[in-house]
Amino acid sequence: MRSKIVAGNWKMNKNQEETEALLAELSAKLPDTAAEVMVAPTFVNLASAVRDLESSTIQVIAQNMHFAESGAFTGEISADMLLSIGVQTVIIGHSERRAYFGETDEILAKKVKAALAKNMRVMFCFGEELEDRKSDNHFNVVAGQLKNGLFDLEAEAWKNIVLAYEPVWAIGTGETASPEQAQEMHAFIRKTITEAFDANIANTVSILYGGSVKPSNAVEIFSKPDVDGGLIGGASLVADDFMAIVKAI
Ligand code: PGA
């Protein structure tokens, strides 16, 4: 059985007070669900978010981390620091990190290994750009991102991996991949993992879809057999919208 997951990526939004208010609203409105529900506030508010959600089943996850254990990396955060405040899961490879902060496949592979070495759970993001899709190169790009980021892991490590397929052209644009496009890519991802590892890993890893998921399209996207949930940006900043998406799963 694959975990169903709905995760909210808050990106660089919400100050301390706003974070507290949104978390209070989310925990009050969380419906009964078998899905895992996660939120990723900014680094400065992670520790207080963990405390605020102590009695909630909503998990607090990080948006990023550095691959080094510690040292002279001004502005960076390590796996140990996250663990020390009770954060067990980290998003790695978000397209905004790749595009705006120069995170290459090589850097991301190091981050994935560093997090897994500390027994953290990794939500690994990847997805093609519009040009790739227009030139019919999207399957190649996605296969390459998976290979470079994850394919020299031990089979055992996959139990701590969650995948998030996020076509860059659908992130924050209001344009969503159609449920058919999402399903087609998720099935391709499982096939690619089966070839590189085995069908058991491919069929047990949760694959989330991300990119303009909203209350109005979530049911249809989540109804696809290979879509196990969503990574939600904009709509995760409004409690009622995020909870409508949680209900959709
Ligand atoms: P969006 O962002 O839902 O605002 O498109 C998704 C993401 O970047 O994870």
Side-chain angles (χ1 to χ4, degrees):
M1 261 290 276
R2 299 196 286 266
S3 299
K4 301 272 187 197
I5 298 170
V6 178
N9 174 11
W10 292 11
K11 309 189 180 183
M12 197 173 74
N13 292 295
K14 304 284 176 192
N15 65 22
Q16 168 79 60
E17 211 177 304
E18 292 161 346
T19 298
E20 260 175 44
L22 180 53
L23 292 175
E25 206 181 342
L26 291 175
S27 26
K29 292 180 171 172
L30 180 70
D32 238 357
T33 175
E36 294 185 67
V37 179
M38 306 174 177
V39 290
T42 65
F43 279 134
V44 288
N45 294 316
L46 281 180
S48 65
V50 170
R51 285 194 295 273
D52 288 350
L53 292 178
E54 221 163 37
S55 56
S56 168
T57 55
I58 301 175
Q59 301 168 40
V60 177
I61 72 174
Q63 298 177 18
N64 180 31
M65 59 167 253
H66 196 270
F67 52 76
E69 288 255 343
S70 63
F73 299 100
T74 301
E76 293 292 332
I77 310 282
S78 71
D80 277 336
M81 291 170 191
L82 294 173
L83 289 167
S84 74
I85 57 162
V87 172
Q88 301 281 346
T89 300
V90 59
I91 298 172
I92 290 177
H94 190 280
S95 68
E96 288 148 18
R97 300 295 319 168
R98 295 174 187 260
Y100 309 145
F101 302 98
E103 296 198 1
T104 60
D105 283 355
E106 196 188 351
I107 292 172
L108 297 173
K110 282 163 96 170
K111 290 189 174 200
V112 169
K113 286 203 182 112
L116 293 174
K118 298 285 178 181
N119 241 336
M120 290 187 80
R121 198 171 181 200
V122 169
M123 185 178 290
F124 185 75
C125 303
F126 54 94
E128 82 282 0
E129 304 206 17
L130 187 57
E131 269 84 276
D132 304 320
R133 189 161 276 267
K134 280 189 175 153
S135 58
D136 214 21
N137 201 29
H138 46 300
F139 293 115
N140 281 338
V141 168
V142 163
Q145 289 170 327
L146 288 172
K147 178 170 177 285
N148 296 337
L150 303 174
F151 283 4
D152 61 348
L153 295 178
E154 303 290 328
E156 178 64 11
W158 280 81
K159 65 177 192 305
N160 282 328
I161 299 279
V162 172
L163 299 178
Y165 166 61
E166 300 200 297
V168 178
W169 48 272
I171 295 179
T173 58
E175 192 167 336
T176 329
S178 69
E180 291 69 32
Q181 285 172 322
Q183 170 57 30
E184 183 186 37
M185 185 58 88
H186 285 216
F188 170 78
I189 292 162
R190 289 197 207 284
K191 180 172 143 277
T192 307
I193 296 171
T194 302
E195 285 161 10
F197 289 88
D198 59 54
N200 181 47
I201 290 176
N203 291 328
T204 49
V205 67
S206 295
I207 310 179
L208 316 185
Y209 168 79
S212 299
V213 177
K214 304 181 274 274
S216 58
N217 58 25
V219 170
E220 223 193 326
I221 294 172
F222 294 164
S223 70
K224 293 297 175 191
D226 286 303
V227 177
D228 304 310
L231 180 55
I232 321 299
S236 72
L237 297 171
V238 179
D240 287 333
D241 288 354
F242 189 56
M243 287 307 155
I245 296 169
V246 170
K247 280 187 196 125
I249 196 85

